[in-house]
Amino acid sequence: MSFIFKVLGYIPVLGFFIREAVEGHVSSTIFFALNIIMGWILAIYYFGYPAIIIPALCLVGTVFTALINITAQDLLRKS
């Protein structure tokens, strides 16, 4: 998981905020999460239904992959 945060840390503007949320004080993590939530709410206000459905569609693949990974662990286990 730290590899993902390290890669996201190289994004020019957003990287500073991500690094501060991961490595900084607890309050900076909470403020980062609140900013993400408020940004999503503003996107829903301005763009409407697509701002709700596009993140949900993106998460479908993630959850599907996680479910396959959980249920197929015995199949993929190396003896």
Side-chain angles (χ1 to χ4, degrees):
M1 194 62 135
S2 64
F3 174 74
I4 294 171
F5 292 129
K6 189 181 289 188
V7 170
L8 289 176
Y10 289 118
I11 298 173
V13 175
L14 193 61
F16 172 74
F17 299 117
I18 292 172
R19 269 188 266 119
E20 186 67 27
V22 172
E23 300 169 359
H25 198 265
V26 175
S27 63
S28 63
T29 305
I30 293 170
F31 289 141
F32 180 75
L34 288 174
N35 282 330
I36 295 295
I37 292 169
M38 289 304 296
W40 190 26
I41 290 172
L42 284 172
I44 292 170
Y45 177 76
Y46 284 119
F47 301 115
Y49 189 67
I52 297 171
I53 198 69
I54 290 174
L57 289 174
C58 292
L59 286 175
V60 167
T62 305
V63 172
F64 188 62
T65 304
L67 286 173
I68 289 173
N69 190 16
I70 290 170
T71 57
Q73 283 183 352
D74 291 335
L75 179 66
L76 301 175
R77 185 173 297 159
K78 295 179 182 177
S79 299

